[in-house]
Amino acid sequence: MKQTVLLKVLLIGMMTLPQLSFGQSHTDIEGSPAEEYDFKFILDKDDEGEFYAVLTEVNDSVKDLVVPDSVKAHKWTGMYYQPLYFPLKKIKTNKYKTNTTLENLVLGNVLETIESCQGLNNLKQIVMPAVKRIKESAFWGIRLLSSVELPEIVEIGNNAFRNCYNLKEVALGPNLEEIGGSAFSGCKNLERVVLGPKLEKIGFGTFWGAEKLTSIELPQSLKIIDSHAFYQCNLQEVVLPEGLQEIGDFAFSYNKHLKAIHIPAQVRAMSHLGWWCTELASLTVDPKNANYESYENTIIEKATKTVIQGCNTSRIPEGVEHIGLFAFAGFPELKEIVFPESLRTIGNFALSGCTSIRHLYIPKNVEDIGNNHPMIGCKQLETIDVAEENKTFDSRNGCHAIVRTATNTLVLAGSESTIPEGIESIGESAFEGKDRTSVTIPASVKKIGIEAFLMCENLKDVYSLIENPMPITTDVFAPREYSEEYNTTIYAGKTLHVLPGTRNKYRQTAGWTKFVHVLEDMGNPNQIEAIPLEKSSIKVSYFDLQGRQLRQKPSKGLYIQNGEKVLIK
């Protein structure tokens, strides 16, 4: 382990110093500067035992600082203090000792390492001709720093320039090998980046949030682009180098003007490239790639027969068995998607944010649909139908929803879906974000999952035929609004309609108490007089409880006729 000897150097002149010992008393001796400087420094030892200087603090009132290659300091020789020169190789400032005046910093030709520039809060320009290593978080949050040139840089640590909001240009020299995670994350004004020809890895979230970065040239040496590397940039095109081997999750997410991605032959590991690339229309794979292939703008992993990435113009070929996590997420221009008969599973969030899809058909072989809602944000989705031959799911009684047959759970619905009698559970987020004004919950329902009707912004009326309500979480019909009158959050603008004699039960049951307006106007179905259609001499129109006029005579159930609820037996 490196033996570190810190010899604190005071900036005030001290011609005679007492002998002070730290650690091993025969070697660790304090010293002092032999000349006056605009900064403070300490002495440290390298791996070979040679002393060098570390800049630790810049004096107040200094606006421009040129750091020399060496500093002169008194060092105890065992008999007296001798003035010697020590190379100044490192900067390690203390973020708790701030300097509000320094704007321009020019480093010497031997200063190789920046461990920290924290505390230099007004730093705008820095010249680093010999710096090879910038350590973790070295410049984090120095907001006024506008440009960086690093001709000799080899290594940039995690978070090195994170949240340097004013940073616009970065030029990295030919010796750079790796950029650490989130190194330029939050640099929202970064417009230009020059990468060196030896760079092999771009780390996790390196350019996350560089909103003005429209293009970047990736060197041929690059082998790894880690997860979220270009998340929320503004790339309009990207050319992946032929030697690239790995692409991490969400590497290009939220690049809303990115139109095309081509996967080179050497890529051996990748996942979903990005969601909310709203203009992405072209996805191709080099025919020589052994692991992936493309079919009509769809990227498929060969070994698992899984769609890894789709886009606005994708078509899925027969033979695909799985739709991967986030595969089609965030493509509002995707109006139609046809699942092949070979499909077996649909992954979590697979179609989330596909706001133009209106209908889905689930083929007979689908046996698993992601528990974390695969279609969150499909606001225009109206109906879903399941193949009659499917052994896992069904759309019983024309409900236009997905029901897990074995558990009688409604797992996913559209804006025109109904909840059929016999359903025992409404799944998490089942109706989330759907455009509907009312919903009827049948008496058979025993459980309602969290956020089942979340963000149904036009939902005004909830009709419940449940005689003994079960507790629900307070986010089932969210959002809620704070009411000063009731001194709590409520479901504002929503009315709960219940059976006669059950209002007090609902008012005393967790979750339902968020409804301020509770009406006992549902009528007990056992007490409603049946109206045989064949005996009616008056031609009337019938509506379901969502207010939609029926095209044909209803058979059984509760309907609206002439503005009143009637039960048809």
Side-chain angles (χ1 to χ4, degrees), residues 156-160 162 178-185 202-207 226:
I156 298 178
N158 297 337
N159 305 301
R162 187 168 185 168
E178 181 174 340
I179 303 177
S182 301
F184 296 94
S185 174
I202 296 177
F204 175 91
T206 293
F207 296 100
D226 211 340

Side-chain angles (χ1 to χ4, degrees), residues 54 135 152 161 199 225 232 261 387 425 505 552:
V54 180
K135 298 295 186 178
E152 299 297 326
F161 293 92
L199 181 64
I225 298 176
Q232 209 171 0
I261 298 178
S425 177
K505 293 180 182 180
Q552 57 187 7

Side-chain angles (χ1 to χ4, degrees), residues 495-498 502-503 506-507 512 515-520:
T495 300
L496 177 62
H497 305 263
V498 300
T502 64
R503 177 164 54 188
Y506 281 90
R507 289 201 179 279
W512 301 100
F515 286 96
V516 172
H517 303 290
V518 182
L519 304 179
E520 291 182 329

Side-chain angles (χ1 to χ4, degrees), residues 140-360:
W140 187 338
I142 299 181
R143 301 188 176 190
L144 299 180
L145 190 64
S146 61
S147 65
V148 170
E149 291 188 17
L150 293 161
E152 299 297 326
I153 193 69
V154 174
E155 172 191 340
I156 298 178
N158 297 337
N159 305 301
F161 293 92
R162 187 168 185 168
N163 292 348
C164 291
Y165 295 147
N166 202 45
L167 191 60
K168 295 180 179 180
E169 294 190 5
V170 175
L172 305 174
N175 298 316
L176 179 65
E177 296 178 358
E178 181 174 340
I179 303 177
S182 301
F184 296 94
S185 174
C187 296
K188 60 183 181 181
N189 287 305
L190 187 61
E191 298 176 355
R192 181 173 178 268
V193 177
V194 178
L195 301 175
K198 292 184 179 180
L199 181 64
E200 294 188 358
K201 180 179 180 181
I202 296 177
F204 175 91
T206 293
F207 296 100
W208 189 332
E211 298 173 358
K212 293 188 178 181
L213 189 62
T214 59
S215 65
I216 190 167
E217 185 174 342
L218 302 176
Q220 291 301 311
S221 57
L222 191 65
K223 292 182 172 59
I224 299 173
I225 298 176
D226 211 340
S227 300
H228 297 80
F230 294 95
Y231 192 96
Q232 209 171 0
C233 294
N234 196 26
L235 295 178
Q236 298 178 13
E237 62 177 354
V238 60
V239 179
L240 301 180
E242 292 300 320
L244 189 66
Q245 297 177 3
E246 298 179 19
I247 307 174
D249 298 349
F250 304 110
F252 298 98
S253 286
Y254 277 95
N255 283 265
K256 295 186 177 182
H257 299 293
L258 185 62
K259 295 178 174 58
I261 298 178
H262 176 74
I263 305 301
Q266 299 302 315
V267 174
R268 63 192 182 195
M270 61 175 285
S271 187
H272 35 281
L273 299 172
W275 62 349
W276 290 103
C277 295
T278 53
E279 295 185 12
L280 189 62
S282 175
L283 290 169
T284 56
V285 178
D286 191 303
K288 297 179 182 178
N289 192 298
N291 303 288
Y292 303 96
E293 62 183 347
S294 58
Y295 174 89
E296 295 199 28
N297 300 312
T298 304
I299 297 178
I300 302 162
E301 186 176 46
K302 294 180 180 180
T304 61
K305 301 179 181 179
T306 300
V307 172
I308 298 296
Q309 184 68 54
C311 67
N312 286 316
T313 58
S314 293
R315 289 184 61 193
I316 306 173
E318 191 64 43
V320 163
E321 296 185 1
H322 311 282
I323 307 296
L325 180 74
F326 292 101
F328 291 91
F331 292 103
E333 299 301 318
L334 183 63
K335 293 180 172 59
E336 181 183 26
I337 187 165
V338 178
F339 295 136
E341 290 298 316
S342 55
L343 188 65
R344 293 171 49 203
T345 69
I346 302 173
N348 291 334
F349 308 105
L351 294 168
S352 63
C354 293
T355 55
S356 295
I357 293 179
R358 294 183 178 273
H359 178 73
L360 286 175

Side-chain angles (χ1 to χ4, degrees), residues 458-514:
N458 294 320
L459 184 61
K460 304 298 182 184
D461 295 286
V462 177
Y463 298 92
S464 177
L465 291 166
I466 302 172
E467 187 171 353
N468 295 300
M470 78 298 290
I472 60 175
T473 59
T474 57
D475 59 5
V476 166
F477 297 96
R480 306 184 305 274
E481 296 180 9
Y482 179 77
S483 169
E484 293 185 359
E485 180 181 358
Y486 297 97
N487 194 29
T488 186
T489 56
I490 63 171
Y491 291 137
K494 293 181 175 65
T495 300
L496 177 62
H497 305 263
V498 300
L499 297 170
T502 64
R503 177 164 54 188
N504 288 337
K505 293 180 182 180
Y506 281 90
R507 289 201 179 279
Q508 297 171 11
T509 303
W512 301 100
T513 59
K514 295 300 178 180

Side-chain angles (χ1 to χ4, degrees), residues 379-509:
K379 294 183 178 181
Q380 300 301 316
L381 184 62
E382 296 173 352
T383 59
I384 312 171
D385 291 300
V386 180
E388 292 184 2
E389 302 90 342
N390 193 295
K391 298 180 180 179
T392 305
F393 302 102
D394 66 77
S395 291
R396 65 189 67 174
N397 301 332
C399 65
H400 297 305
I402 301 177
V403 177
R404 190 177 296 276
T405 306
T407 60
N408 289 318
T409 299
L410 191 150
V411 296
L412 188 62
S415 60
E416 296 186 3
S417 302
T418 58
I419 307 172
E421 180 63 37
I423 292 297
E424 297 182 7
S425 177
I426 300 173
E428 297 179 9
S429 304
F431 287 84
E432 181 172 341
K434 300 303 181 292
D435 184 14
R436 56 190 303 138
T437 59
S438 65
V439 65
T440 300
I441 303 173
S444 56
V445 171
K446 300 176 183 178
K447 179 182 178 181
I448 303 178
I450 62 173
E451 301 181 346
F453 298 92
L454 178 70
M455 299 304 295
C456 293
E457 296 177 357
N458 294 320
L459 184 61
K460 304 298 182 184
D461 295 286
V462 177
Y463 298 92
S464 177
L465 291 166
I466 302 172
E467 187 171 353
N468 295 300
M470 78 298 290
I472 60 175
T473 59
T474 57
D475 59 5
V476 166
F477 297 96
R480 306 184 305 274
E481 296 180 9
Y482 179 77
S483 169
E484 293 185 359
E485 180 181 358
Y486 297 97
N487 194 29
T488 186
T489 56
I490 63 171
Y491 291 137
K494 293 181 175 65
T495 300
L496 177 62
H497 305 263
V498 300
L499 297 170
T502 64
R503 177 164 54 188
N504 288 337
K505 293 180 182 180
Y506 281 90
R507 289 201 179 279
Q508 297 171 11
T509 303

